[in-house]
Amino acid sequence: MHLPPTLPTMTRFRRRADIAALVQDDRVHRDVYLNEELFALEQQHFFANTWSYLGHASQVPAAGDYLAVEIAGRPLLMVRQGDGGIRVLYNRCAHKGSKLVSDDCGSTGKFFRCPYHAWTYRLDGAPLAIPLKSGYEGTRLKDCESGRGMVALKHVVAYRDFVFVKIGDAGPDFESYFGDALGAIDNLVDRSPVGRLRIEGGVLRNVIHCNWKMYLENINDTVHPMSTHESATQAANALWQGQPADAPKPMAMEQILPFGAGYDFFDRMGGRIYPNGHSVLGINFSIHSGYAQMRDYEQALSDAHGAERAAEILQRSPQNSVCFPSLALKGSPQAFRVIRPLAADRTLIEAWSLRVEGAPALLFERSMTYNRLVFSPMSVVAHDDVHLFENMQEGLRGEGNDWVSLHRGFDPAELGQTTLEVNGTNEILMRNQFRAWVKFMTLSMQD
Amino acid sequence: MDAQTERRLFDFIAHEARLLDAQRFDEWLALFADNGRYWVPLRGGAQADDGSHNALADEDRLLLALRIERLKSPRAHSQHPPSSCQHILQQSALVHGDARTPHYELRTPFVYIEVRGERQLMLAGCYRHRLIDRPGGLRIELKRVDLLNPGATLPAIQLFP
């Protein structure tokens, strides 16, 4: 039977209180993962009020280079300007709306030219030329949006080459939004003796049939590896035990075996929350702390930063740092994930590798190997994660329990506190995300 | 190359795919030489083998064994329900043969289908096998899987394209 299209009934979550009621102190309502109206409101409010990671400056090295990215349903273009700056424009022709570029990345040369009617724009989006100009004489084109060229985003910050955007005008400025959480990016960049990173080696792209918040929560979930990844870590252990005692440990084993660490290990690694949903998991140590050291590299870093600072940089090796809501970073291995919501039940995850300028090639190999082993669509670690995320998305449709528990470690004294250090299995890192979710969902709502 | 050797090489490629479809993974792994490698480069056929670009998978015998041992575990959660796969091979072509070394390189265009529950995934591409003929028989030194769309947004691929 062919059903007529139905309009979404935007009625359930009209007021701030409707949103706030979904997030209690120690649990969240299943609608935050399932409800399509909430997803539309996230696109409209939450992602307009928060800062999202767009791309890395190294992806657009020369004037005219662009990177096309969709954020919260909006087609955006990061463009390197003639003066070396970076601007972010909507990838939309001012005329009839065609996207001006349709490749993921490339160079547009000195200007953009719409393939449809040949309207052209400067790299900053300003209008350049329109065919049959005389036909517009005496019309109102010049005085309206269509005559003003491509629309530029007002809120764009390149922090140590990581480019972030805020779509709307409400919401805090960049510094107050991230605050001390930017230390995670500093740690990544400071690992280069010359202070520069480059995106290299390609991106691994996964589509997962789950809500984006499930993925983001799991980045801070230290209690799942033992049971979720049991099959992969047991197989790795069994194979490695069969190796001779003096066999050098391959990088893959160095990276996979620590996933089998126990609850105590994960609890002791510790975590920290920051205002606005950000966090660092593994403030004491992590599964990445045991990677082989490299003398020459440590010396180079010490020469660049001084011995004390170099040791501090290298000792900081968290499990994951989350720049809420779009970015999860690993200082070692140098890698990060980008979370892009596509629908209430569909999420794009990208895993990017970084080359650390002035550091040995081994660091880059580590970055690529880790991404491949853990975040590839073919990863035996990710297979079980993805399966469980998709299982939750389906299981939550069950009746009789509308709530998802985030009780572990809850302490009423945590309410109102925005920076806190806790044990590594405390679910406050997730509760903190949801408290920020309510804040930025409702920030620009009426009443 | 004589027709008999060609026949033998082509049969080997077809046999390898049949073992995967039948999920006889241990026998499949035994087809790899000690230095054997299974590689699914992220830029497909355009990728140089110089370590400058990542891969969906790049595995030696140890990592392939890990994959296979995991699949045997009842707690490989993503295998409930289990995946099945079907390789559809086009006629292989011998692109390089040196009976003295004795190394052979073959190209085999393919379509790969993996199903699990209600989901079906289809991949297309071209295999590039580098085989070595040893006293014990042919062995795989490299199975390179050049997908048409390795850089696309992909769902989980759980078996062996």
Side-chain angles (χ1 to χ4, degrees):
Chain A
M1 187 174 62
H2 189 73
L3 295 168
T6 51
L7 291 169
T9 48
M10 305 286 276
T11 53
R12 279 187 62 197
F13 305 102
R14 265 186 307 193
R15 298 172 325 116
R16 286 180 172 187
D18 301 331
I19 301 292
L22 298 167
V23 176
Q24 297 184 348
D25 290 346
D26 49 11
R27 57 180 196 163
V28 294
H29 195 279
R30 62 176 177 152
D31 280 350
V32 305
Y33 309 101
L34 301 183
N35 189 281
E36 287 174 18
E37 181 187 341
L38 283 175
F39 184 80
L41 288 169
E42 283 176 344
Q43 302 276 77
Q44 185 190 342
H45 291 277
F46 177 82
F47 288 104
N49 295 335
T50 50
W51 286 86
S52 290
Y53 171 76
L54 190 152
H56 194 265
S58 67
Q59 293 172 284
V60 290
D65 287 351
Y66 66 82
L67 180 75
V69 173
E70 195 171 301
I71 293 182
R74 285 103 163 157
L76 301 176
L77 270 181
M78 172 167 92
V79 191
R80 180 71 74 173
Q81 303 295 297
D83 65 2
I86 283 177
R87 300 203 93 188
V88 177
L89 311 168
Y90 281 104
N91 186 8
R92 178 213 195 272
C93 182
H95 181 204
K96 302 197 82 167
S98 170
K99 292 207 284 185
L100 288 158
V101 300
S102 42
D103 289 326
D104 287 347
C105 59
S107 172
T108 188
K110 289 186 160 43
F111 57 89
F112 290 103
R113 181 178 185 271
C114 181
Y116 198 8
H117 303 98
W119 287 32
T120 55
Y121 307 90
R122 295 181 203 282
L123 295 182
D124 65 1
L128 195 58
I130 297 178
L132 300 176
K133 207 172 169 185
S134 58
Y136 291 99
E137 276 171 23
T139 73
R140 297 196 299 154
L141 177 76
K142 263 205 324 284
D143 310 317
C144 76
E145 292 89 339
S146 304
R148 286 184 208 130
M150 298 164 71
V151 177
L153 266 71
K154 280 187 270 183
H155 311 286
V156 179
V157 170
Y159 183 80
R160 305 197 75 177
D161 285 348
F162 286 79
V163 180
F164 292 83
V165 296
K166 182 162 66 75
I167 289 162
D169 291 332
D173 63 57
F174 182 80
E175 290 291 336
S176 22
Y177 180 74
F178 284 116
D180 290 339
L182 291 170
I185 293 178
D186 290 334
N187 181 256
L188 260 178
V189 183
D190 290 344
R191 283 168 178 263
S192 161
V194 295
R196 254 195 322 275
L197 305 172
R198 284 200 313 271
I199 293 267
E200 277 191 35
V203 55
L204 293 155
R205 287 200 169 95
N206 302 263
V207 62
I208 307 178
H209 292 261
C210 75
N211 187 272
W212 63 276
K213 295 186 287 301
M214 276 179 195
Y215 193 94
L216 200 58
E217 277 173 76
N218 188 69
I219 290 172
N220 281 328
D221 188 310
T222 47
V223 180
H224 82 286
M226 284 250 291
S227 39
T228 300
H229 300 306
E230 182 182 340
S231 63
T233 54
Q234 280 196 352
N237 272 312
L239 286 166
W240 190 244
Q241 273 163 18
Q243 301 288 318
D246 58 346
K249 197 186 269 185
M251 185 181 287
M253 284 293 143
E254 189 178 72
Q255 294 183 333
I256 287 182
L257 288 170
F259 274 86
Y263 294 134
D264 180 58
F265 176 90
F266 285 108
D267 195 53
R268 283 186 292 113
M269 71 166 55
R272 186 186 300 124
I273 59 161
Y274 296 99
N276 301 328
H278 317 303
S279 59
V280 176
L281 176 66
I283 52 176
N284 304 319
F285 53 81
S286 76
I287 64 168
H288 307 306
S289 301
Y291 297 164
Q293 302 294 299
M294 286 165 278
R295 286 253 164 76
D296 291 352
Y297 166 57
E298 283 164 27
Q299 188 57 50
L301 211 57
S302 181
D303 292 345
H305 297 297
E308 198 181 330
R309 176 79 186 116
E312 193 182 300
I313 290 164
L314 289 171
Q315 260 164 28
R316 182 184 162 128
S317 197
Q319 185 86 0
N320 283 302
S321 303
V322 172
C323 293
F324 187 72
S326 60
L327 191 61
L329 306 150
K330 287 179 186 286
S332 169
Q334 249 95 10
F336 65 91
R337 278 172 286 174
V338 180
I339 296 96
R340 301 268 188 236
L342 301 175
D345 61 355
R346 210 152 45 87
T347 302
L348 167 66
I349 303 299
E350 298 177 337
W352 295 89
S353 300
L354 290 163
R355 193 187 283 278
V356 182
E357 287 196 27
L362 185 72
L363 251 65
F364 179 55
E365 197 189 325
R366 222 174 238 177
S367 173
M368 285 202 298
T369 302
Y370 191 86
N371 276 340
R372 186 170 66 245
L373 289 171
V374 184
F375 303 135
S376 164
M378 291 186 73
S379 159
V380 295
V381 178
H383 286 161
D384 290 319
D385 281 324
V386 169
H387 169 73
L388 284 157
F389 302 155
E390 296 183 345
N391 253 5
M392 283 190 284
Q393 195 72 29
E394 293 179 15
L396 282 174
R397 294 191 210 130
E399 302 287 335
N401 178 4
D402 285 342
W403 297 89
V404 168
S405 161
L406 297 175
H407 295 90
R408 199 184 312 112
F410 174 73
D411 175 356
E414 77 189 37
L415 296 171
Q417 297 207 55
T418 52
T419 307
L420 211 56
E421 286 192 4
V422 295
N423 56 316
T425 60
N426 194 318
E427 284 174 334
I428 191 173
L429 277 70
M430 304 172 200
R431 296 192 290 274
N432 188 47
Q433 292 177 347
F434 279 103
R435 287 165 195 166
W437 181 81
V438 171
K439 174 177 170 182
F440 293 110
M441 273 290 269
T442 56
L443 191 74
S444 44
M445 282 182 183
Q446 304 303 312
D447 64 40
Chain B
M1 198 56 55
D2 62 275
Q4 197 186 345
T5 305
E6 264 198 1
R7 183 76 260 155
R8 197 167 146 250
L9 294 168
F10 296 166
D11 284 352
F12 180 88
I13 302 292
H15 173 63
E16 188 231 318
R18 270 201 304 275
L19 289 180
L20 285 174
D21 292 347
Q23 308 217 0
R24 288 155 63 183
F25 296 126
D26 289 315
E27 289 168 73
W28 176 74
L29 184 60
L31 297 181
F32 281 77
D34 288 345
N35 63 343
R37 176 187 183 200
Y38 172 82
W39 185 33
V40 190
L42 200 44
R43 298 184 63 213
Q47 190 156 329
D49 189 6
D50 60 3
S52 65
H53 214 81
N54 214 341
L56 291 175
D58 190 354
E59 313 209 329
D60 57 9
R61 286 190 62 128
L62 181 65
L63 282 176
L64 289 174
L66 194 163
R67 209 174 262 284
I68 290 165
E69 289 309 307
R70 172 186 169 270
L71 287 170
K72 293 175 187 168
S73 165
R75 294 201 172 155
H77 309 299
S78 76
Q79 285 302 297
H80 298 277
S83 303
S84 324
C85 70
Q86 176 78 61
H87 294 75
I88 298 159
L89 304 184
Q90 197 173 309
Q91 174 64 54
S92 299
L94 185 64
V95 291
H96 180 74
D98 183 347
R100 286 166 305 145
T101 353
H103 279 94
Y104 303 96
E105 285 182 32
L106 295 100
R107 283 174 55 87
T108 312
F110 70 89
V111 171
Y112 172 81
I113 296 164
E114 188 177 294
V115 298
R116 179 177 172 253
E118 298 300 314
R119 298 255 183 91
Q120 178 170 306
L121 162 78
M122 184 159 79
L123 299 166
C126 188
Y127 296 126
R128 288 156 73 176
H129 284 83
R130 190 172 73 229
L131 306 180
I132 182 167
D133 200 1
R134 302 184 322 177
L138 289 162
R139 289 288 179 274
I140 301 167
E141 286 193 330
L142 172 65
K143 180 178 183 180
R144 174 175 173 154
V145 183
D146 289 335
L147 297 177
L148 279 184
N149 61 341
T153 303
L154 293 166
I157 304 166
Q158 305 214 31
L159 300 177
F160 298 90

